[in-house]
Amino acid sequence: MNKGVSLYKLGMIGLLMLLLLIPLMMINGIIQDRQSRRNVVIHDIARSSSYSQQLTGPVLIVPYRRTVQASRRSEVTQQRYEEPVEERGRLYFLPDEFTLNGKVQTEVRARGIYEARLYHATNTIAGNFVLPERFGLGDEYKNYHFDEPFLAVGISDVRGIENDLKLNLDGKTFDFVPGTDVPLLGEGVRVMLPTENGAEKTTLSFAFDLRLQGTGQLQVTPVGKSSRVELSADWPHPSFIGNFLPSARNVSDTNFNATWETSFFSTNLQDILNRCPASKICTELTSRSFGVSFISPVDQYLKADRSIKYALLFIALTFAGFLLFEVLKGLAVHPVQYALVGAALALFYLLLLSLSEHIGFGVAYLISATVCVALISFYVSHVLGSVAHGTGFGIGLGTLYALLYGLLSAEDYALLMGSLLLFGLLVVFMVLTRKLDWYAIAQRPAKPVEPVLEVAK
């Protein structure tokens, strides 16, 4: 093997690695396409049942009318004058105390090979409103005339309501009706309340049960001056989302329970509510929420996508192993043989993706890695003319696949593990080649590879 041939071999190996990027990119495109199709199916299932749910409220609304003097200009004399005009508006009150206790059960809905996780939340909601004297209007109170108040609860997808809603207010029962009649809350329900004149400070205690179906996420807006939300579910992989993390949580292999506690000092919701335009949905109000996601944090498509990012590294390490055999044993491996081994390494990811859609990622990874290692070991045994060399090569390749699975499973430590792996492989390569005379190897002729059957004799 002269120097020119060595440079030629290195150039061919580099070209092969670039060419193998084409099937790897095609496989990555298939992964993205399957993931997009899965998301479409989940969206279709949610469209047929109910989407992610967000609960905002209850909010107590007191409509009012008052007479104000409006400035007008006479069309005849062009002089200004004042005219009494009736102005309509609403006063908004948030609960002083708000508690929600929710128990969630999940279920899987499948369409073909794709699955969506629905949940059914049984919520007990309670608290109280403290209405200030004269509704906090002071001396202006005498200029107001109040209409029938109502309590509104914003529910992002009312199709998910599974029970007949009834409000218990100070021992009396009232029926909810569809619609909040409050644009800033969006969709939901409301219930008409007895008229309050607001002359004196009043405390109203409320409670109601809400059974809610949704897909993916359940969020709650902590509307109380003091809010406490407790959620428990038969789901072992919760992802806590929103502006506030739970103050306490317990996650086991089969379920979780979590508790959130907030106050007006942390949410500033009353000030936000006063700033919100009454004619539009208040996104600033609904964004101050928290909750839990029931979507699997790492599915087979995400793992397959992460694994294929290491494909070029695997191919490079495998080719480096071939080169190491050539250098240490003086063997000649043809570029076509490099290409066939590289193709087997690339097809591993397609096999992994197709199997994981049916039997789960872990089992699919084990089967795909096993058959690929077995195939490459069998082929390399004949390429190198030695069963021992082929077996050793297969053991090394199997170790790399095991380390890759560890990288995929340990997301938080993936960079650390990957760095240690590369450094360890560099150490092995340097130790094995520490006494080689590279100038002499460049001039040394390569030995022909003997058939593996002759080695077996």
Side-chain angles (χ1 to χ4, degrees), residues 89-168:
R90 290 173 171 179
L91 302 176
Y92 298 91
F93 298 95
L94 295 176
D96 272 52
E97 293 184 3
F98 170 77
T99 63
L100 184 148
N101 191 302
K103 299 185 183 300
V104 184
Q105 291 184 332
T106 62
E107 66 167 314
V108 175
R109 298 281 181 89
R111 183 173 296 175
I113 63 173
Y114 302 106
E115 296 179 344
R117 185 167 296 276
L118 276 66
Y119 62 81
H120 302 272
T122 301
N123 305 294
T124 300
I125 301 170
N128 62 68
F129 292 92
V130 178
L131 303 181
E133 182 181 357
R134 299 182 180 182
F135 290 133
L137 298 173
D139 294 336
E140 292 293 321
Y141 172 78
K142 61 181 181 295
N143 298 324
Y144 285 74
H145 301 279
F146 301 99
D147 295 328
E148 190 176 18
F150 62 96
L151 184 145
V153 181
I155 301 172
S156 57
D157 192 345
V158 293
R159 297 176 303 159
I161 299 175
E162 297 182 317
N163 65 313
D164 184 19
L165 293 176
K166 294 183 179 296
L167 175 71
N168 185 296

Side-chain angles (χ1 to χ4, degrees), residues 163-376:
N163 65 313
D164 184 19
L165 293 176
K166 294 183 179 296
L167 175 71
N168 185 296
L169 185 71
D170 289 337
K172 298 180 180 179
T173 302
F174 302 89
D175 292 328
F176 280 91
V177 296
T180 61
D181 196 27
V182 183
L184 59 86
L185 293 180
E187 291 188 351
V189 294
R190 71 183 187 278
V191 56
M192 306 308 296
L193 304 179
T195 302
E196 291 282 346
N197 57 28
E200 298 179 354
K201 182 178 180 180
T202 306
T203 299
L204 301 175
S205 298
F206 67 88
F208 62 95
D209 294 329
L210 171 63
R211 295 202 302 270
L212 199 60
Q213 174 186 274
T215 303
Q217 297 179 352
L218 173 62
Q219 297 190 71
V220 178
T221 304
V223 292
K225 291 182 179 179
S226 174
S227 299
R228 180 181 176 87
V229 175
E230 297 181 20
L231 290 177
S232 61
D234 58 348
W235 177 242
H237 308 293
S239 176
F240 300 110
I241 57 177
N243 291 76
F244 305 92
L245 289 175
S247 56
R249 62 180 181 177
N250 181 28
V251 181
S252 70
D253 294 336
T254 57
N255 55 49
F256 81 89
N257 56 74
T259 301
W260 291 261
E261 292 182 322
T262 64
S263 67
F264 271 3
F265 295 105
S266 58
T267 63
N268 197 32
L269 282 184
Q270 186 65 63
D271 185 54
I272 292 174
L273 183 63
N274 294 336
R275 296 199 308 263
C276 284
S279 60
K280 298 180 180 179
I281 294 179
C282 184
T283 56
E284 190 177 5
L285 174 67
T286 55
S287 66
R288 298 295 179 95
S289 61
F290 54 75
V292 62
S293 172
F294 296 94
I295 297 176
S296 181
V298 183
D299 61 14
Q300 69 268 23
Y301 299 108
L302 182 57
K303 285 186 176 181
D305 181 67
R306 288 172 55 193
S307 66
I308 203 171
K309 295 183 187 327
Y310 296 92
L312 196 60
L313 175 62
F314 259 57
I315 293 173
L317 291 175
T318 305
F319 286 178
F322 266 13
L323 275 176
L324 195 60
F325 274 107
E326 289 195 68
V327 170
L328 295 178
K329 301 298 182 181
L331 302 175
V333 180
H334 196 276
V336 173
Q337 294 169 323
Y338 277 91
L340 290 175
V341 172
L345 292 172
L347 287 176
F348 159 79
Y349 299 97
L350 184 61
L351 187 62
L352 172 63
L353 173 64
S354 58
L355 287 176
S356 64
E357 291 184 328
H358 300 276
I359 60 177
F361 185 84
V363 179
Y365 190 96
L366 177 62
I367 295 175
S368 302
T370 301
V371 297
C372 285
V373 169
L375 174 62
I376 293 175

